[in-house]
Structures are given as C-alpha cells and as structure tokens.
C-alpha cells in the first residue's frame, strides 16, 4: 500500500497456497493461505517499511521473514520486536503510542481477538491510524472483536482531522 509517498507492506503472509494447517480452534478446516500470491515476491519488491499488527502466522509468516530484506524497517506493536529481530531484522521499531516515519504519523490502537479465555490465549493485537499532510486519515486493523473494533474506530475518528463546515 502506498500512502503519502511511502510504500508500506502490511501483515505479510508469503507462504504458498495451502501450505499452512487450518487455523486451530476454528470451524474452518481449509489450509492457508487460501490462494497463491498474485505477484512474485523477489523481483522489485522493496517496501519502505513493513507494518505488523500482531504475530499470528496469517499476519507474519516464516516465508515473509525469509523473503524480506533484513534491513527493511519493521514497525510493530510492543512485545513483538524481539520475535521479529530473532529472524535477523536489523531495523525493528516498536510503536508504543505514536511514531512518525518518513512524514507519516502512525498511531497505535489496541485490538482484541475475542473475549474471556479465548481472547487471552490469542494475545495482543494492534491497529494503526496513519496520518499525513494532504492525505485522508487511514485506519488499519489487524483483527478485533466487535467491542474493541468500536473502541479503536472511536479512537481513529478522534485522531482524524476535523472538516470545516
């Protein structure tokens, strides 16, 4: 995705079609990813940064970690930086709250996979609000249940520039 002249890759999953087992504890028994990538990942594929919402294999997989240049800036939520760095990446930046990258302000919002024990087992997930001069505000959500999505959208709306009436 290109935003304000910056090429962001979001939640890369580069595995070949049907290589990964179905998502555990779900009713969907299909192997992932469901379809092959529509492009080759080795020729001319150089994002300015990778934005990772969380570490589940359908948002960051071994194939992506192996394919991306180790010098590619990786932007992630707290606690994921060590895991990403363990793949050999040398430019991993945690977005605790707000980060400005090449003129794009990135605000992290919280998310949640579910409630109760399932929500706890699924771990942390983030969304990101992207803002830049002369650009619409963009909201990216890794995954969320209905309540956390409402909260994140409320936060994103509060961060959006106000239009004059």
């Amino acid at each position: 995705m290109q935003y304000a002249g910056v090429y962001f890759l979001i939640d890369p999953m580069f595995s070949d079609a049907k290589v990964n087992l179905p998502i555990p504890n779900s009713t969907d028994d299909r192997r992932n990813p469901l379809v092959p990538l529509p492009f080759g990942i080795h020729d001319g594929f150089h994002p300015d940064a990778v934005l990772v919402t969380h570490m589940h294999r359908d948002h960051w997989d071994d194939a992506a970690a192996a394919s991306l240049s180790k010098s590619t800036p990786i932007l992630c939520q707290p606690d994921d930086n060590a895991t990403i760095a363990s793949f050999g990446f040398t430019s991993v930046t945690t977005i605790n709250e707000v980060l400005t990258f090449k003129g794009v302000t990135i605000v992290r919002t919280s998310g949640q996979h579910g409630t109760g024990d399932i929500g706890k087992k699924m771990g942390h997930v983030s969304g990101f609000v992207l803002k830049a001069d002369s650009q619409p505000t963009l909201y990216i959500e890794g995954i969320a249940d209905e309540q956390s999505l409402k909260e994140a959208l409320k936060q994103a709306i509060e961060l959006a520039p106000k239009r004059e009436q």
Side-chain angles (χ1 to χ4, degrees):
M1 169 197 82
Q2 191 167 16
Y3 180 80
V6 181
Y7 180 27
F8 289 99
L9 175 62
I10 302 166
D11 286 350
M13 181 183 190
F14 289 170
S15 294
D16 290 331
K18 300 181 176 133
V19 166
N20 299 322
L21 295 173
I23 296 172
N25 302 316
S26 80
T27 58
D28 191 342
D29 62 355
R30 296 178 295 173
R31 296 178 71 88
N32 285 292
L34 300 177
V35 297
L37 287 172
F39 55 86
I41 58 174
H42 296 290
D43 298 326
F45 190 73
H46 305 287
D48 293 316
V50 177
L51 191 58
V52 179
T53 62
H54 63 295
M55 295 303 300
H56 289 171
R57 69 176 183 227
D58 57 337
H59 293 261
W60 173 269
D61 66 1
D62 290 343
S67 299
L68 293 165
S69 167
K70 299 306 181 220
S71 63
T72 302
I74 310 290
L75 312 176
C76 62
Q77 67 179 356
D79 301 327
D80 289 348
N81 55 340
T83 302
I84 293 169
S86 75
F87 287 99
F89 288 92
T90 58
S91 180
V92 182
T93 302
T94 299
I95 303 174
N96 290 304
E97 292 180 15
V98 179
L99 172 78
T100 299
F101 180 84
K102 295 189 175 191
V104 177
T105 299
I106 305 168
V107 180
R108 188 176 70 82
T109 64
S110 61
Q112 187 172 332
H113 261 292
T115 58
D117 289 338
I118 295 292
K120 289 177 187 172
K121 288 179 184 178
M122 296 300 282
H124 298 284
V125 60
S126 291
F128 299 100
V129 177
L130 279 62
K131 301 185 330 179
D133 291 339
S134 303
Q135 297 293 315
T137 299
L138 178 65
Y139 175 60
I140 298 165
E141 179 59 60
I143 195 164
D145 66 2
E146 184 178 351
Q147 183 58 39
S148 62
L149 183 58
K150 286 179 183 177
E151 290 298 318
L153 286 172
K154 179 180 173 187
Q155 185 177 358
I157 289 167
E158 289 170 358
L159 293 167
K162 306 299 182 234
R163 292 186 186 180
E164 292 187 25
Q165 297 289 332

